[in-house]
Amino acid sequence: MKGDPQQVPPDVSVVVIVYNDEHRLPTAVRSALEQTLRGVEVVVVDDRSTDGSYEVARRLAEEHPGRVRACRLPENSGGCGAPRNHGIEQARGTYVVFLDSDDVLERNACRNMLEAAETTGADLVSGLCVRVHVDSRTGKEAKWYPWLYERTRTLESVSDLPDLLVFDTLSTNKCYRRRFLLDEGLRFPVGIHYEDLLFSAQAYVAARRITLIPNRVYDWRVVDRPADTAVRSISNRRDEIANFAHRMEIHRRVDALLAERGLDGLKFAKDVKFLKHDLVLHLRELPFRDAVYRREFAALARPYLDSVDPAAYDEAEPIHAVCAYLLRQGDWDNLLPAVDTLLNRDKISAPLVEHDGRVYWCAEHLGDALGRHVLDVTRLGYHAKPVERMFLRNALTGYAQSGSTVRLAGLITSPLGVVPPGARLSGELEFYARRRGVRLKTFRFPVAEVRHEGAAIAWAASADLAKVRPLGVVDAVWDVRLHLGVDGVRTTTRLTAAVPEGAAGPLPVRPRLTRLVADRIEPVVSVRGHLSFRLVPGKKAEELLRRGVRGPAGRAARDGYRRARRARERLTSGAAKIRVYHEVFSRLPVRKRLVVFESHLGRQYSDSPRAVYEEMRRQGLDFEAVWSYAGSPEGFPADATLVRRWSLPYLRALARAGFWIDNQSYPLKLTKRPETTYLQTWHGSALKRMGFDEPEWKLRSRAAQETQQRVLDRFDRFLIRSEHDVRTLARAFRLKERTLLRVGYPRNDALVAARRSEETSGRRERGPLAAELGIPDDRTVLLYAPTFRGRGGRRRRFELPFDPERFADAFGDRFVLLVRSHYLNHVVLPPSVCGRVIDVTDHHDMTPLLALADALITDYSSVMFDYALLDRPMFFLVHDYEEYVRAGRGTYFDLLERAPGPVLRTEDELYAALDAFQEQAVKYAAARERFTAAFGEYDKGTAARDVVEQFFAEWRRA
C-alpha cells in the first residue's frame, strides 16, 4: 500500500492479546509482521501482565512504528474477552484477525483470507487451524476438524453447514470484516471463560455470508507438559469446578441465542456435540475428584442435560450416551464404572444384564423409556465375546504396604456371567516398564487368592517390590496388570484405582544402575485411572540426578538412548524391511518348490489359494508350503510353515519362492524376481468398476499410474472364469492376453460338484457345517452376504439394513439366517435371535457357507457370481442403490436389469419376497441360467486340478 501508514487504513488488523507471556509474544507478533500481505497492522493488548509483557509490546511498537501499537488494560480481566474487545475498538483495518501470544499465523494467512473475503463478499472467512505440539519430539501436528476445510465453499447461512457452528468454535482462525463486527455489536463476553464458543456462535448466526478456505492459517501451539502448571490453558483446567460452571453458562447463552433465532436444527446438532465432546471432557475427571466436586458437578450438569433433546442420545457413541443418562439420573454406582469405559474404550466395566433378548448396561432404570433405550448396549457385541477377548474392569479394593511389600486386592467384573461359577481360576500379577523401548524384563507375582464373590471375581496378592529391578532413568514409570486364568484361558486386566487417596508412601527399590538414580518407588494413578508406580529419588539423589541429567553426561546419555531408539525404529520400519527384501533376501538362491500362499492379505485361510493348496496336498506333490497370516495363525493349515505378514521370515520366503499364489496382492513395493511365477487367482468377478476403469485411478498422475501398472505387471497368470472377466478385470488391469488363464476359480470347484451331486441324487447334502452351527433339519438356510461398507468407524461395524429381531420373529420357524459380513466389516446380533440368526463372519472360507445355503441374500457383492453356479434362489437387497452405484465408482452392467432374482429396496419388500420363497425360485429360474452362462462359463469344476496339472505336475512323488 502507498501513502502514510497513519492515514491509509491497513487491510488487516491483527489483535494480539497477551498476559504474562513476555518470552513468546515476539514470535507471535513477528508471524503477523512477516505476512506476505503487507497491509497488516498489529495491535498488542496486554491484560495487565505482572511480568515484562507490556514492556516487550512497547519495544516492538518502537521498532515497528506505524505497524505495531501497544495497549494496556487498566486492570487484569482474567480472560480473553476484554483484551480482544479492546483490540476491536483500537483496530483500524478493514478486517480483523485475532491471535494469542503463544500461537502464530501461517505466513500467507492474511492474504488468503483477505482475498477470499474480497472475492465472495463474506463477513467472515475461516481457514484451517493446526494444533502443533511444541514439546513433542516427533513434531506432532493435528488438523482441527479438517473435513470442514477440504475445499473452498461459501455459505449463505451457517444452517447450510451446522458442523461449522458445532465443531469449529475458535475465534482465532478467522478473519472478520470490521464493519460487520461494529454494525452487529459483536463483542466477547467478559468475566467468563470459553468466550470463543459464544462469540463464534454470534458471529456465525449474524454473518450474511461465510467463506471457508482449505488453507492453513493458524498454528495453535500446544504445550502438553508445561513446566509451570499455573500457566495451563483455561481449557486444560478441567479439575477446577469453576471451569465446568463457565462452560455450562456459555452453553446456556448459546442455546438462548439459537432459540431466539429459531434455529432448532443447530440446537440439535449442538446437543449432539455436547454429549459427544463437551460433557465427555469433564466426565473423564470424575474418577480423580472427591465427593464434593462430584456433587457440584452433578448440580451443574443435570439441569442442562434436562434441556438436551432425547433424540441426541442416538447420535452419540453408546458409552457417551450411557454416561450422560446415568449422570442425569444421579446414579453414581453405575456412572463411575461407565466413565472407566469412557477412559478405556474397550474395557467392559459393568456386569451387564440381559432382558428380553437385549443386553443393557445395568438393571436399573429399565422402567424408564429413555433409560431402556440409552442403556441398551446390545450393538456393542459384549455378549458375543469369549472371556479371553474381554478387557474386564478390575477395581482395586485394597492397598496396603509394609517395608518393600505391597498387598493388593480387587474385584473383577464378570459381565453376563462370562466367568461361570464352577470355573477353575488362577491369577498372576505383572509389573512392567511403561516405555516399551526399555522393557527389558517383567516381574511376576502369583495371586494367592482368587474366588467367586457373587457375580464378580475377588482376588488378593502380595508383591515384594524389592524384586522389581528397574534401570533407573529411562524406565521411571511401571504399570501393573493382572492375568486372570479361567478354565485354562487367560484374560488380562488393569487395576482401576478410583481415587488417588488410595496411594500410600514410597517403597524402597534397588535400581540396576545405582541408587543415586532413584531409591524409592511410589504408587500413582495414571491418566486412564490405573494403578502404576513411579520411581522417585531422595532429596540428595534428586539434586545429583538433576545436575547429571542437565549436565554433559546426562545429555550424552539421553542423546545416545535416542540415537539407539531411532536406529532400532529404522531397522524395523517398513522401508528398512523393503531394503532387506531387495538387497539381502533377493540375492539368495530361489527354491523352485517353495510356494507362498496368501488369501485376502493374510486375513484368511480361504478362497482359491486354499483350493489350489489342498489339491496339491491331495495329489501328494513334493513341495514346501508357506502360508501368510495377518492376525492369528488359528485356522491355518498345520502341515504348512506359517509366517506373519510383513515379518522378516515372510519377506525371506517371498524372495526365495518359486511361486506366489494369492487372490488380492502381495505387498505393492516388493519386486517379484524373474525366477518366481506369480499366479493371481483374484477374488471375484466384477460388478463395480475396477483398476484403471475407476474414476479415482484415472485422475492419478502419470507417475502414480505407472507405479500401479508395475504392480499389476507382476502377475504371470491371472485366472479367468468368464469372458466378462476379460472385458472388465483384464482390461481394467491392462493385462496381456498371454497372462489370462481361462480355467475358472478353484474355489468354485466345490460348488460345481455340489450342484452335480444334487442333480444326480435328487437330494441336497448339508454336510457337517449344518450340525456345527446347530441348524435344525426342517429349516431353510438363508445366507446374507453383503459387500464391503467403508463406513462404521474404527471397528468397521456394519449396520444391517433390516431388523434381525423382526426377521427372527417373522421367519424363525421357517428359516435360519446366516449373516456373513465382509471380512473388513463386522456385525453384532442381539441375543434374542440366537439360533435363528447366526453370525458366521469368522468362518474363513465362504465356499462351505455357499454350499450350505438354500438361498442367498446379497447386494452388490461378487458372491452373486459364485452362488449362481448352484442354481438356487437369490434375493438382492439394495436399499442404497443410487448412493452406492451411481454416486460411487460405477458398474459394468445394470444390476436392476440383469439380477437373477428380485431386486428389493426395503425390509418390507424383502419379507414379502421371502414369504413367496418357492414362487421366486421358479420365477427366476431362466434368469439364473442366463446369469450363470454369462458369468461362469469356465467354472467347470476342474480349476484347481487344471492349475496343478499346468504348473506342478512334475512335482508328483515317484
Side-chain angles (χ1 to χ4, degrees):
M1 298 181 63
K2 297 180 180 180
D4 184 350
Q6 297 292 341
Q7 301 299 322
V8 180
D11 294 316
V12 176
S13 294
V14 178
V15 175
V16 183
I17 63 169
V18 60
Y19 176 71
N20 285 357
D21 199 17
E22 59 182 315
H23 299 296
R24 291 183 292 189
L25 176 61
T27 301
V29 172
R30 189 161 51 250
S31 76
L33 292 175
E34 294 177 354
Q35 288 289 298
T36 53
L37 177 72
R38 301 313 302 163
V40 174
E41 72 160 356
V42 180
V43 180
V44 182
V45 184
D46 175 57
D47 196 13
R48 204 70 185 183
S49 297
T50 58
D51 69 352
S53 294
Y54 182 56
E55 287 69 26
V56 170
R58 290 182 61 185
R59 186 169 64 249
L60 289 168
E62 292 171 359
E63 293 172 357
H64 303 278
R67 294 202 67 199
V68 177
R69 289 181 287 135
C71 311
R72 191 179 198 186
L73 297 187
E75 59 183 22
N76 177 250
S77 68
C80 301
R84 284 180 182 154
N85 290 340
H86 189 73
I88 294 173
E89 294 166 3
Q90 295 296 316
R92 302 196 314 262
T94 307
Y95 295 90
V96 175
V97 170
F98 299 108
L99 173 63
D100 292 345
S101 61
D102 51 348
D103 299 330
V104 296
L105 292 175
E106 194 276 334
R107 192 163 181 265
N108 299 296
C110 291
R111 177 172 60 83
N112 287 333
M113 290 192 286
L114 174 69
E115 288 180 356
E118 294 289 274
T119 301
T120 65
D123 291 326
L124 185 161
V125 175
S126 188
L128 180 65
C129 171
V130 178
R131 286 169 59 94
V132 179
H133 296 259
V134 296
D135 53 358
S136 167
R137 292 191 298 270
T138 59
K140 177 183 174 184
E141 294 187 351
K143 296 177 180 178
W144 187 252
Y145 300 112
W147 78 86
L148 295 171
Y149 299 98
E150 291 176 344
R151 58 183 173 85
T152 298
R153 51 182 160 177
T154 298
L155 313 173
E156 299 300 324
S157 167
V158 71
S159 296
D160 296 340
L161 185 62
D163 278 358
L164 186 61
L165 177 140
V166 171
F167 291 100
D168 190 358
T169 56
L170 301 177
S171 65
T172 48
N173 60 330
K174 298 171 176 62
C175 177
Y176 310 84
R177 194 180 298 273
R178 182 166 173 266
R179 177 48 53 190
F180 161 67
L181 297 179
L182 297 177
D183 290 348
E184 296 292 336
L186 291 177
R187 296 294 186 274
F188 290 86
V190 177
I192 187 169
H193 301 322
Y194 300 105
E195 59 282 309
D196 271 18
L197 274 69
L198 181 57
F199 180 83
S200 294
Q202 291 171 331
Y204 283 143
V205 169
R208 288 173 291 276
R209 185 170 293 167
I210 302 167
T211 294
L212 309 182
I213 60 175
N215 308 83
R216 179 174 183 163
V217 299
Y218 194 89
D219 281 9
W220 178 356
R221 296 165 67 85
V222 181
V223 179
D224 295 309
R225 296 177 294 275
D228 182 0
T229 57
V231 301
R232 288 182 303 162
S233 68
I234 292 167
S235 60
N236 285 329
R237 300 176 194 168
R238 290 189 286 272
D239 55 336
E240 302 172 7
I241 195 64
N243 183 289
F244 185 60
H246 285 215
R247 187 186 286 271
M248 289 294 91
E249 176 58 26
I250 287 291
H251 273 283
R252 280 188 284 268
R253 294 188 191 184
V254 173
D255 290 350
L257 168 69
L258 299 179
E260 177 187 335
R261 300 294 185 101
L263 299 172
D264 295 337
L266 291 178
K267 168 64 165 65
F268 177 78
K270 185 181 154 302
D271 282 348
V272 173
K273 193 241 185 177
F274 177 79
L275 296 179
K276 294 171 67 172
H277 177 73
D278 299 79
L279 182 62
V280 168
L281 290 176
H282 294 269
L283 283 170
R284 293 173 181 273
E285 293 293 321
L286 292 182
F288 311 104
R289 308 277 76 85
D290 59 22
V292 174
Y293 180 97
R294 292 174 186 170
R295 281 197 302 270
E296 294 178 0
F297 179 84
L300 291 166
R302 291 170 67 183
Y304 188 80
L305 284 170
D306 289 338
S307 73
V308 170
D309 189 332
Y313 287 88
D314 287 337
E315 303 299 322
E317 289 288 326
I319 193 60
H320 297 166
V322 166
C323 288
Y325 177 82
L326 293 173
L327 174 61
R328 185 181 178 190
Q329 298 301 117
D331 184 351
W332 290 96
D333 290 340
N334 287 307
L335 173 59
L336 288 176
V339 174
D340 195 5
T341 294
L342 195 67
L343 291 169
N344 303 275
R345 178 56 63 92
D346 296 322
K347 184 182 289 189
I348 307 176
S349 299
L352 309 179
V353 60
E354 184 179 334
H355 179 67
D356 290 338
R358 307 293 294 178
V359 175
Y360 296 92
W361 185 259
C362 56
E364 293 76 16
H365 316 296
L366 300 188
D368 172 35
L370 179 61
R372 191 166 56 254
H373 181 70
V374 171
L375 298 174
D376 186 340
V377 292
T378 307
R379 65 190 178 108
L380 296 181
Y382 293 144
H383 58 282
K385 288 186 176 183
V387 66
E388 63 268 23
R389 290 173 54 194
M390 289 184 169
F391 178 22
L392 301 175
R393 175 177 166 89
N394 185 350
L396 192 67
T397 58
Y399 180 98
Q401 58 187 59
S402 176
S404 61
T405 300
V406 294
R407 290 185 295 277
L408 305 170
L411 207 60
I412 301 174
T413 299
S414 177
L416 300 172
V418 70
V419 182
R424 293 178 290 105
L425 303 178
S426 61
E428 182 181 59
L429 277 178
E430 184 176 79
F431 290 72
Y432 59 97
R434 178 175 297 175
R435 183 174 288 182
R436 294 192 179 196
V438 296
R439 196 177 296 171
L440 303 178
K441 185 176 181 182
T442 60
F443 299 88
R444 298 179 177 88
F445 302 91
V447 174
E449 181 183 359
V450 192
R451 69 181 190 281
H452 293 275
E453 188 170 294
I457 307 300
W459 62 272
S462 296
D464 183 1
L465 298 192
K467 297 179 180 179
V468 175
R469 300 294 307 279
L471 288 174
V473 178
V474 291
D475 56 350
V477 180
W478 286 70
D479 291 320
V480 190
R481 56 190 171 200
L482 184 142
H483 301 296
L484 175 67
V486 180
D487 286 334
V489 299
R490 190 174 81 164
T491 189
T492 299
T493 69
R494 295 289 306 277
L495 278 55
T496 297
V499 290
E501 286 89 354
L507 301 96
V509 291
R510 293 183 299 137
R512 298 185 184 194
L513 296 179
T514 169
R515 290 194 181 185
L516 291 178
V517 171
D519 56 4
R520 298 170 299 161
I521 192 168
E522 66 178 4
V524 293
V525 178
S526 74
V527 293
R528 293 187 180 273
H530 297 138
L531 178 68
S532 299
F533 288 84
R534 180 178 60 201
L535 291 172
V536 288
K539 290 184 178 179
K540 184 179 295 186
E542 186 172 10
E543 177 60 22
L544 290 172
L545 180 61
R546 184 184 63 80
R547 292 178 184 175
V549 168
R550 294 181 180 178
R555 286 195 296 272
R558 288 197 305 274
D559 291 344
Y561 167 73
R562 289 170 182 167
R563 283 195 299 271
R565 188 181 65 182
R566 285 194 295 268
R568 187 185 65 234
E569 290 173 350
R570 285 195 299 271
L571 289 173
T572 58
S573 68
K577 288 181 177 179
I578 292 171
R579 285 197 303 272
V580 169
Y581 171 87
H582 288 108
E583 298 173 12
V584 180
F585 293 155
S586 291
R587 296 179 179 178
L588 299 174
V590 169
R591 297 163 65 173
K592 293 183 179 180
R593 297 197 181 197
L594 172 59
V595 186
V596 179
F597 297 87
E598 184 170 288
S599 178
H600 293 303
L601 308 180
R603 291 181 174 89
Q604 298 176 355
Y605 172 57
S606 68
D607 213 82
S608 292
R610 173 177 179 171
V612 173
Y613 169 74
E614 292 180 350
E615 178 66 18
M616 294 172 72
R617 287 297 190 203
R618 189 188 67 78
Q619 293 194 23
L621 302 188
D622 182 13
F623 71 106
E624 182 181 355
V626 172
W627 267 93
S628 89
Y629 67 93
S632 166
E634 184 179 353
F636 285 80
D639 56 355
T641 300
L642 306 183
V643 293
R644 184 180 294 277
R645 199 172 197 266
W646 266 116
S647 67
L648 291 177
Y650 170 80
L651 298 178
R652 180 186 175 94
L654 284 177
R656 303 197 66 186
F659 285 85
W660 293 358
I661 302 178
D662 89 317
N663 65 353
Q664 198 155 342
S665 178
Y666 286 108
L668 305 182
K669 295 184 179 180
L670 301 184
T671 302
K672 182 183 71 68
R673 298 173 70 175
E675 305 96 319
T676 302
T677 300
Y678 190 164
L679 301 182
Q680 174 55 259
T681 69
W682 203 240
H683 52 274
S685 297
L687 168 64
K688 300 178 288 291
R689 292 190 177 275
M690 303 290 292
F692 290 102
D693 288 343
E694 293 183 50
E696 178 188 345
W697 282 40
K698 293 178 180 179
L699 294 174
R700 293 180 183 176
S701 67
R702 178 176 296 180
Q705 292 192 27
E706 290 174 352
T707 299
Q708 187 63 42
Q709 189 62 56
R710 283 195 295 272
V711 170
L712 297 169
D713 288 344
R714 295 184 302 175
F715 304 158
D716 291 298
R717 302 308 294 269
F718 187 91
L719 270 59
I720 295 293
R721 60 186 306 242
S722 71
E723 288 303 306
H724 169 77
D725 291 354
V726 177
R727 295 187 298 270
T728 57
L729 291 172
R731 186 187 67 184
F733 294 154
R734 299 175 180 173
L735 302 178
K736 296 178 176 62
E737 173 63 30
R738 66 174 181 272
T739 304
L740 308 183
L741 191 61
R742 292 171 169 85
V743 296
Y745 282 170
R747 72 183 185 194
N748 288 338
D749 291 350
L751 300 181
V752 175
R755 178 177 176 178
R756 288 174 178 165
S757 174
E758 186 177 334
E759 290 174 342
T760 301
S761 65
R763 65 177 184 277
R764 184 171 303 168
E765 296 291 341
R766 283 189 164 177
L769 183 57
E772 178 187 330
L773 297 174
I775 298 175
D777 292 337
D778 62 345
R779 298 293 194 277
T780 298
V781 179
L782 305 178
L783 174 64
Y784 176 54
T787 193
F788 170 68
R789 291 300 198 282
R791 302 173 191 168
R794 182 167 61 93
R795 293 170 179 77
R796 297 289 192 190
R797 184 173 293 117
F798 172 61
E799 297 292 340
L800 294 174
F802 56 88
D803 182 352
E805 290 180 295
R806 181 185 170 193
F807 176 92
D809 292 341
F811 298 107
D813 59 342
R814 296 170 54 192
F815 300 128
V816 169
L817 178 65
L818 308 181
V819 177
R820 215 269 192 174
S821 63
H822 191 277
Y823 66 91
L824 292 176
N825 296 132
H826 83 272
V827 70
V828 173
L829 300 173
S832 59
V833 302
C834 182
R836 298 176 293 174
V837 183
I838 304 172
D839 182 7
V840 293
T841 303
D842 286 342
H843 283 251
H844 276 220
D845 203 352
M846 181 70 125
T847 303
L849 297 171
L850 294 175
L852 172 63
D854 297 301
L856 173 72
I857 304 171
T858 187
D859 45 15
Y860 323 101
S861 173
S862 64
V863 72
M864 69 176 77
F865 302 108
D866 303 312
Y867 193 76
L869 298 170
L870 293 165
D871 190 29
R872 299 175 190 171
M874 285 189 273
F875 302 83
F876 295 85
L877 181 58
V878 292
H879 64 288
D880 55 353
Y881 186 82
E882 282 75 18
E883 175 188 355
Y884 191 89
V885 175
R886 298 200 171 123
R889 64 196 195 205
T891 61
Y892 287 114
F893 63 87
D894 189 344
L895 181 64
L896 301 183
E897 294 179 359
R898 302 189 67 175
V903 177
L904 314 162
R905 299 300 190 102
T906 67
E907 183 174 10
D908 289 339
E909 289 180 7
L910 172 65
Y911 293 167
L914 292 176
D915 260 332
F917 183 83
Q918 294 302 331
E919 292 88 336
Q920 299 289 355
V922 174
K923 178 179 179 181
Y924 286 92
R928 290 197 300 274
E929 185 176 351
R930 290 193 300 271
F931 196 80
T932 303
F935 301 110
E937 60 189 295
Y938 300 130
D939 278 319
K940 304 302 183 183
T942 60
R945 189 173 68 225
D946 290 346
V947 169
V948 171
E949 284 295 326
Q950 183 165 340
F951 295 98
F952 308 113
E954 64 185 46
W955 295 357
R956 289 193 178 95
R957 299 178 190 274

